[in-house]
Coordinates of all heavy atoms in Angstrom, one line a residue:
L1 N -7.2 -48.1 -22.6 CA -7.5 -48.0 -24.0 C -8.2 -49.2 -24.6 O -9.2 -49.1 -25.4 CB -6.1 -47.9 -24.8 CG -6.2 -47.4 -26.2 CD1 -6.9 -46.1 -26.3 CD2 -4.7 -47.3 -26.8
A2 N -7.9 -50.4 -24.1 CA -8.6 -51.6 -24.5 C -10.1 -51.5 -24.1 O -11.0 -51.9 -24.8 CB -8.0 -52.9 -23.9
A3 N -10.4 -50.9 -22.9 CA -11.8 -50.7 -22.4 C -12.4 -49.7 -23.3 O -13.6 -49.9 -23.7 CB -11.8 -50.3 -21.0
Y4 N -11.8 -48.6 -23.6 CA -12.4 -47.6 -24.5 C -12.7 -48.2 -25.9 O -13.8 -47.8 -26.4 CB -11.4 -46.4 -24.6 CG -11.7 -45.5 -25.7 CD1 -12.7 -44.5 -25.6 CD2 -11.0 -45.5 -26.9 CE1 -13.1 -43.7 -26.6 CE2 -11.3 -44.6 -27.9 CZ -12.4 -43.7 -27.8 OH -12.7 -42.8 -28.8
Y5 N -11.9 -49.0 -26.4 CA -12.2 -49.6 -27.7 C -13.5 -50.4 -27.6 O -14.1 -50.7 -28.7 CB -11.1 -50.5 -28.1 CG -9.8 -49.8 -28.6 CD1 -8.6 -50.4 -28.6 CD2 -9.9 -48.5 -29.0 CE1 -7.4 -49.8 -29.1 CE2 -8.8 -47.8 -29.5 CZ -7.5 -48.5 -29.5 OH -6.4 -47.8 -29.9
R6 N -13.9 -50.9 -26.5 CA -15.1 -51.7 -26.3 C -16.2 -50.8 -25.7 O -17.3 -51.4 -25.3 CB -14.8 -52.9 -25.4 CG -13.9 -53.9 -26.2 CD -13.2 -54.8 -25.2 NE -12.4 -55.8 -26.0 CZ -11.2 -55.6 -26.6 NH1 -10.7 -54.4 -26.5 NH2 -10.6 -56.5 -27.3
K7 N -16.0 -49.5 -25.5 CA -17.0 -48.6 -24.9 C -17.4 -49.0 -23.5 O -18.5 -48.8 -23.1 CB -18.2 -48.5 -25.8 CG -17.9 -48.0 -27.2 CD -19.2 -47.7 -28.1 CE -18.8 -47.1 -29.4 NZ -20.0 -46.9 -30.3
I8 N -16.4 -49.6 -22.8 CA -16.6 -49.8 -21.4 C -16.0 -48.7 -20.6 O -14.9 -48.2 -20.8 CB -15.8 -51.1 -21.0 CG1 -16.3 -52.3 -21.7 CG2 -15.9 -51.4 -19.5 CD1 -15.4 -53.6 -21.6
P9 N -16.8 -48.1 -19.7 CA -16.3 -46.9 -19.0 C -15.1 -47.2 -18.1 O -15.0 -48.3 -17.5 CB -17.5 -46.4 -18.1 CG -18.4 -47.6 -18.1 CD -18.2 -48.4 -19.3
V10 N -14.2 -46.2 -18.0 CA -13.0 -46.4 -17.2 C -13.0 -45.5 -16.0 O -13.3 -44.3 -16.1 CB -11.8 -46.0 -18.1 CG1 -10.5 -46.0 -17.3 CG2 -11.7 -47.0 -19.3
A11 N -12.6 -46.0 -14.9 CA -12.3 -45.2 -13.7 C -10.8 -45.2 -13.4 O -10.2 -46.2 -13.5 CB -13.1 -45.8 -12.5
H12 N -10.3 -44.0 -13.2 CA -8.9 -43.7 -13.1 C -8.5 -43.3 -11.7 O -8.9 -42.2 -11.3 CB -8.4 -42.7 -14.1 CG -6.9 -42.5 -14.2 ND1 -6.3 -41.4 -14.8 CD2 -5.9 -43.4 -13.9 CE1 -5.0 -41.6 -14.8 NE2 -4.8 -42.7 -14.2
V13 N -7.8 -44.2 -11.0 CA -7.4 -43.9 -9.6 C -6.0 -43.2 -9.7 O -5.2 -43.6 -10.6 CB -7.2 -45.3 -8.8 CG1 -6.6 -45.0 -7.4 CG2 -8.6 -45.9 -8.7
E14 N -5.8 -42.2 -8.9 CA -4.6 -41.4 -9.0 C -4.6 -40.6 -10.3 O -3.6 -40.5 -11.0 CB -3.3 -42.2 -8.8 CG -2.1 -41.3 -8.4 CD -0.9 -42.1 -8.2 OE1 -0.4 -42.6 -9.2 OE2 -0.4 -42.2 -7.1
A15 N -5.7 -39.9 -10.6 CA -5.8 -39.2 -11.8 C -5.4 -37.7 -11.6 O -5.4 -37.2 -10.4 CB -7.3 -39.1 -12.2
G16 N -4.9 -37.1 -12.7 CA -4.6 -35.7 -12.6 C -3.2 -35.3 -12.3 O -2.9 -34.1 -12.2
L17 N -2.3 -36.3 -12.1 CA -0.9 -35.9 -11.8 C -0.3 -35.4 -13.1 O -0.4 -36.0 -14.2 CB -0.1 -37.1 -11.3 CG -0.2 -37.4 -9.8 CD1 -1.7 -37.8 -9.4 CD2 0.7 -38.6 -9.4
R18 N 0.4 -34.3 -13.0 CA 1.0 -33.7 -14.2 C 2.3 -33.0 -13.8 O 2.4 -32.3 -12.8 CB 0.1 -32.6 -14.8 CG -1.2 -33.1 -15.3 CD -1.1 -34.0 -16.6 NE -2.4 -34.3 -17.1 CZ -3.1 -35.4 -16.8 NH1 -2.6 -36.3 -15.9 NH2 -4.2 -35.7 -17.3
S19 N 3.4 -33.4 -14.5 CA 4.6 -32.7 -14.4 C 4.8 -31.5 -15.3 O 5.5 -30.6 -15.1 CB 5.8 -33.6 -14.6 OG 5.9 -34.0 -16.0
G20 N 4.0 -31.6 -16.4 CA 4.1 -30.5 -17.4 C 5.2 -30.8 -18.5 O 5.4 -29.9 -19.4
N21 N 5.8 -31.9 -18.4 CA 6.9 -32.2 -19.3 C 6.7 -33.7 -19.8 O 6.8 -34.6 -19.0 CB 8.3 -32.1 -18.6 CG 9.4 -32.3 -19.5 OD1 9.4 -33.0 -20.5 ND2 10.6 -31.6 -19.2
I22 N 6.5 -33.9 -21.1 CA 6.1 -35.2 -21.5 C 7.3 -36.2 -21.5 O 7.2 -37.4 -21.7 CB 5.5 -35.2 -23.0 CG1 6.6 -34.7 -24.0 CG2 4.2 -34.4 -23.0 CD1 6.1 -34.9 -25.4
H23 N 8.5 -35.7 -21.2 CA 9.7 -36.5 -21.1 C 10.1 -36.7 -19.7 O 11.1 -37.4 -19.4 CB 10.8 -35.9 -21.9 CG 10.5 -35.8 -23.4 ND1 10.3 -36.9 -24.2 CD2 10.3 -34.7 -24.2 CE1 10.0 -36.5 -25.4 NE2 10.0 -35.2 -25.4
H24 N 9.5 -36.1 -18.7 CA 9.8 -36.3 -17.3 C 8.5 -36.4 -16.5 O 7.9 -35.3 -16.3 CB 10.7 -35.1 -16.8 CG 12.0 -35.0 -17.4 ND1 13.1 -35.7 -16.9 CD2 12.5 -34.4 -18.5 CE1 14.2 -35.5 -17.6 NE2 13.8 -34.7 -18.6
P25 N 8.1 -37.5 -15.9 CA 8.7 -38.8 -16.1 C 8.3 -39.4 -17.5 O 7.2 -39.1 -17.9 CB 8.2 -39.6 -15.0 CG 6.8 -39.0 -14.7 CD 7.0 -37.5 -15.0
W26 N 9.1 -40.2 -18.0 CA 8.9 -40.8 -19.3 C 8.8 -42.3 -19.2 O 9.7 -42.9 -18.6 CB 10.1 -40.4 -20.3 CG 10.0 -41.0 -21.6 CD1 9.3 -40.6 -22.7 CD2 10.6 -42.2 -22.0 NE1 9.5 -41.4 -23.8 CE2 10.3 -42.4 -23.4 CE3 11.5 -43.2 -21.4 CZ2 10.7 -43.5 -24.1 CZ3 11.9 -44.3 -22.1 CH2 11.6 -44.4 -23.5
P27 N 7.8 -42.9 -19.8 CA 6.7 -42.4 -20.6 C 5.4 -42.1 -19.7 O 4.4 -42.0 -20.3 CB 6.4 -43.5 -21.6 CG 6.7 -44.8 -20.7 CD 7.9 -44.4 -19.8
E28 N 5.6 -42.1 -18.4 CA 4.4 -42.0 -17.6 C 3.6 -40.8 -17.8 O 2.3 -40.8 -17.7 CB 4.8 -42.1 -16.1 CG 5.3 -43.5 -15.7 CD 6.7 -43.8 -16.1 OE1 7.4 -42.9 -16.6 OE2 7.2 -44.9 -15.8
E29 N 4.2 -39.6 -18.0 CA 3.4 -38.4 -18.2 C 2.4 -38.5 -19.4 O 1.2 -38.1 -19.2 CB 4.3 -37.2 -18.5 CG 3.6 -35.9 -18.7 CD 3.2 -35.2 -17.4 OE1 3.3 -35.8 -16.3 OE2 2.6 -34.1 -17.5
V30 N 2.8 -39.1 -20.5 CA 1.9 -39.3 -21.6 C 0.9 -40.4 -21.3 O -0.3 -40.3 -21.6 CB 2.7 -39.6 -22.9 CG1 1.8 -40.2 -24.0 CG2 3.3 -38.3 -23.4
N31 N 1.3 -41.5 -20.6 CA 0.4 -42.6 -20.3 C -0.8 -42.0 -19.5 O -2.0 -42.3 -19.8 CB 1.1 -43.6 -19.4 CG 2.0 -44.5 -20.2 OD1 1.9 -44.5 -21.5 ND2 2.9 -45.2 -19.6
R32 N -0.6 -41.2 -18.5 CA -1.7 -40.8 -17.6 C -2.5 -39.7 -18.3 O -3.7 -39.6 -18.1 CB -1.2 -40.3 -16.3 CG -0.1 -39.2 -16.3 CD 0.3 -38.8 -14.9 NE 1.5 -38.0 -14.9 CZ 2.6 -38.4 -14.4 NH1 2.7 -39.5 -13.8 NH2 3.7 -37.6 -14.4
K33 N -1.9 -38.9 -19.2 CA -2.7 -38.0 -20.0 C -3.6 -38.7 -21.0 O -4.8 -38.2 -21.2 CB -1.7 -37.0 -20.8 CG -1.1 -36.0 -19.9 CD 0.0 -35.2 -20.7 CE -0.6 -34.3 -21.7 NZ -1.3 -33.1 -21.1

C-alpha cells in the first residue's frame, strides 16, 4: 500500500491464495486480497 501511494509498481510473491472466507485465516485473507 505504501508503494501504491507513491505509484511504485508492486510484485506479489505467493499471489492468488484464497480461502473464500475473510475471517479464515484472519486477517490474512483480506491482506492478500
Side-chain angles (χ1 to χ4, degrees):
L1 195 57
Y4 168 74
Y5 286 159
R6 290 158 177 81
K7 298 185 178 179
I8 299 170
V10 172
H12 189 197
V13 176
E14 198 182 66
L17 276 64
R18 298 289 185 268
S19 72
N21 184 331
I22 63 170
H23 299 294
H24 293 273
W26 176 85
E28 287 83 2
E29 179 79 358
V30 165
N31 285 344
R32 55 180 167 244
K33 285 172 69 71

